[in-house]
Amino acid sequence: MNARTTMMDTGQDLHDFYAAYADSWPEDVLSIDHPAGRDQDVTAIVWSLAAQGLHPLLRFNQIDDLQRPLITNLFASRERVGRMLGGVGAAGLHAEYQARSRNLLQPQLIQDGKVLQQIKSSQINLHTDIPTIKHFASDRGPYITNSILISEFDGISNVSYHRSMVHSDTEIATSLHSRGHLWRMLRAAETQGKPLPVAMVIGAHPLFMLAAAARLPYGIDERHVAGGLIGAPLQVVKTPKYGISVPAHAEFVLEGVIDPSMRAEEGPFGEFTGYSSDRSTNNVFKVEALMQRSDAWLLDVVGGNSAEHLNLGRIPRESEMVEKLKERFPGVTAVHYPNSGTHFHAYIALKQSRPGEARQVMLGLLGWDPYLKTVFAVDEDVDITRDEEVLWAMATHFQPHQDLFMVDGLPGSPLDPSSSADGTTSRLGIDATRGPRFDGLRARISPEAMQRVQPLILSSLRNET
């Protein structure tokens, strides 16, 4: 194996990861030295590049008043995520993620983590101590988009993402709108009349970030998954007041409590749906300590319906769904959640062995994934990574009176702007497979012919220039 496939064995330091990646894949890294502003400039550049089909890892070296590099777009490319996981291609991403995530490794406590280089427990001013940028004109203000909350309470641990904005010098307004495990832990603390101690990690090794997006049973610790993804126990240090284990080489860590009785306005914020949502639980994180590296960077996650936001949230869930489907239905050849459908659409390619199998497979996925609203089933020779291929299959194979089904009254995403007032949604299955009595032969061009014309194309292009 060459350096480009092995360079990810660089420890658990974001700075080392970036240096090794930029050295191995310089064509996939764009370093911007020109000054950029803190009000939407970063997202404007990401959107402009994406419109050209470009999703490089971005480093901004001169953001107004940040006085530190800003790294973003880290997860915008599935090829890049595959490289993080040892050099697998996009097609092998699901299987590699599942294999590694199952190898749960208990974190390793160390004494010399770089996040311990600067510790502050008084005179904290979040407005100046924590670098933030504004992502969308419709956002309430600057947001911390890479805010990973860690909590340990009554023997249960949880690691999860929650959008966050500075509310006061020592308070952060955040939303637990997923009503997930952290929300459940907060309710448990409330019944005991206690605040919930938490630590907020802002910037760490990308495989810790990917683990934080995992969907796990209650009580399973995402930090153990991080060890599996990394291939070695996650190195951690203890926070100074509540002793919460956090990544030892994180950029910033805030420590404090979420008071169940406190509320603060936050939102609108650019969510994965492509809309800026003000749906929020309006919780307040009271910061009591700040830890950071002396050379800390701002690691930002592009919000909205960006490729990065969607991939980061979807790859762990998608990997689990693919594994379940293929175990239960061997005819499934591929599963893809297109960016065009945010988290609400999925495409399944399969080789049917009996009538009705496509419908059965779609029912399985619609039942397992609570975010999904629409699933398209197509034959195995359709490239489901291309929307136009799926739409072609639908145009030529689908009959509305017999090839769709709907189920209503199911729980949906709280951020779905089309969901009912009670949060329920309906779900749709579209069978765009050919069926046993289909009469047609797909028009194809042989690989030999495609190869034969390449010199003609290149010659013509040279003559044009």
Side-chain angles (χ1 to χ4, degrees):
M1 299 177 71
N2 59 37
R4 287 168 67 99
T5 58
T6 60
M7 54 69 61
M8 294 329 322
D9 298 324
T10 55
Q12 300 180 25
D13 187 310
L14 170 65
H15 299 217
D16 292 342
F17 167 88
Y18 175 85
Y21 192 89
D23 182 61
S24 296
W25 287 281
E27 73 280 3
D28 194 35
V29 176
L30 180 59
S31 184
I32 299 175
D33 292 321
H34 193 276
R38 296 173 65 170
D39 185 358
Q40 306 172 68
D41 287 16
V42 171
T43 38
I45 288 176
V46 170
W47 250 252
S48 297
L49 289 168
Q52 303 173 55
L54 302 174
H55 302 281
L57 195 167
L58 291 170
R59 172 175 172 144
F60 292 83
N61 295 311
Q62 294 191 58
I63 299 286
D64 288 351
D65 303 323
L66 282 192
Q67 300 177 341
R68 66 189 77 247
L70 181 151
I71 308 296
T72 195
N73 225 33
L74 190 56
F75 296 92
S77 159
R78 287 185 172 230
E79 288 74 16
R80 191 155 54 245
V81 178
R83 291 164 185 164
M84 297 174 192
L85 292 171
V88 297
L93 190 56
H94 298 142
E96 185 68 18
Y97 175 88
Q98 283 298 93
R100 288 181 177 234
S101 67
R102 281 214 172 87
N103 182 29
L104 302 179
L105 298 177
Q106 186 172 344
Q108 175 191 10
L109 182 64
I110 66 173
Q111 304 301 318
D112 57 349
K114 293 180 181 178
V115 76
L116 298 173
Q117 290 173 342
Q118 295 183 17
I119 300 176
K120 182 188 290 189
S121 56
S122 62
Q123 297 182 322
I124 295 171
N125 185 343
L126 297 174
H127 289 100
T128 55
D129 290 337
I130 298 298
T132 57
I133 64 171
K134 187 174 181 179
H135 295 81
F136 300 99
S138 49
D139 284 355
R140 189 182 186 97
Y143 264 84
I144 306 168
T145 54
N146 184 20
S147 52
I148 299 174
L149 288 173
I150 303 177
S151 185
E152 302 168 358
F153 187 77
D154 275 358
I156 298 294
S157 299
N158 182 70
V159 182
S160 50
Y161 285 89
H162 298 277
R163 72 192 205 193
S164 302
M165 63 172 288
V166 174
H167 175 64
S168 72
D169 287 353
T170 57
E171 295 172 327
I172 287 177
T174 188
S175 179
L176 312 187
H177 54 251
S178 64
R179 299 298 200 280
H181 297 166
L182 188 61
W183 175 266
R184 182 172 171 181
M185 295 171 72
L186 183 61
R187 299 281 73 80
E190 185 177 26
T191 61
Q192 297 181 30
K194 301 177 181 177
L196 180 68
V198 295
M200 178 182 287
V201 179
I202 307 172
H205 190 277
L207 292 180
F208 168 78
M209 295 174 61
L210 192 61
R215 299 284 175 163
L216 303 174
Y218 188 64
I220 302 298
D221 193 332
E222 287 84 354
R223 291 168 297 187
H224 294 200
V225 173
L229 296 183
I230 293 167
L234 178 69
Q235 295 178 341
V236 297
V237 295
K238 296 288 188 179
T239 56
K241 184 165 185 179
Y242 297 105
I244 299 171
S245 295
V246 298
H249 308 301
E251 305 301 306
F252 298 89
V253 173
L254 304 175
E255 181 190 28
V257 296
I258 300 178
D259 186 333
S261 65
M262 291 187 66
R263 294 291 183 271
E265 292 295 322
E266 72 90 14
F269 169 76
E271 281 288 0
F272 66 86
T273 59
Y275 286 93
S276 284
S277 171
D278 59 2
R279 293 187 181 183
S280 175
T281 58
N282 301 117
N283 291 103
V284 177
F285 170 34
K286 300 169 66 176
V287 178
E288 300 170 20
L290 164 65
M291 309 160 66
Q292 73 171 81
R293 298 171 57 128
S294 57
D295 58 351
W297 295 349
L298 174 57
L299 181 51
D300 184 68
V301 172
V302 184
N305 57 337
S306 69
E308 170 162 66
H309 196 184
L310 294 172
N311 282 339
L312 181 56
R314 198 167 55 222
I315 286 173
R317 183 189 306 124
E318 194 174 333
S319 299
E320 179 189 6
M321 295 300 105
V322 171
E323 182 180 67
K324 281 185 174 182
L325 280 177
K326 288 187 174 182
E327 284 179 352
R328 177 64 182 83
F329 305 106
V332 172
T333 58
V335 181
H336 180 61
Y337 287 60
N339 286 353
S340 58
T342 63
H343 293 317
F344 301 145
H345 287 182
Y347 302 153
I348 302 174
L350 73 157
K351 186 174 184 178
Q352 293 193 82
S353 60
R354 61 190 185 278
E357 186 175 5
R359 184 171 294 223
Q360 188 179 21
V361 170
M362 288 189 288
L363 279 168
L365 187 55
L366 286 169
W368 281 325
D369 192 332
Y371 276 68
L372 276 180
K373 292 194 295 185
T374 307
V375 175
F376 299 76
V378 298
D379 295 289
E380 76 276 8
D381 60 351
V382 175
D383 183 354
I384 59 174
T385 65
R386 298 173 59 197
D387 286 340
E388 62 269 28
E389 282 265 312
V390 176
L391 290 173
W392 169 83
M394 183 176 173
T396 55
H397 306 155
F398 170 72
Q399 281 293 319
H401 73 288
Q402 64 185 16
D403 291 331
L404 64 79
F405 63 87
M406 287 182 287
V407 183
D408 62 9
L410 297 173
S413 167
L415 294 175
D416 179 2
S418 72
S419 62
S420 301
D422 62 357
T424 61
T425 185
S426 57
R427 300 188 185 178
L428 173 68
I430 294 176
D431 183 355
T433 59
R434 295 184 182 92
R437 294 180 298 277
F438 184 82
D439 182 19
L441 182 65
R442 189 166 182 182
R444 293 191 179 278
I445 302 170
S446 71
E448 293 79 13
M450 293 297 292
Q451 186 175 4
R452 192 164 58 243
V453 302
Q454 296 310 308
L456 302 178
I457 295 172
L458 292 173
S459 176
S460 300
L461 288 174
R462 291 192 195 100
N463 291 337
E464 288 290 331
T465 57

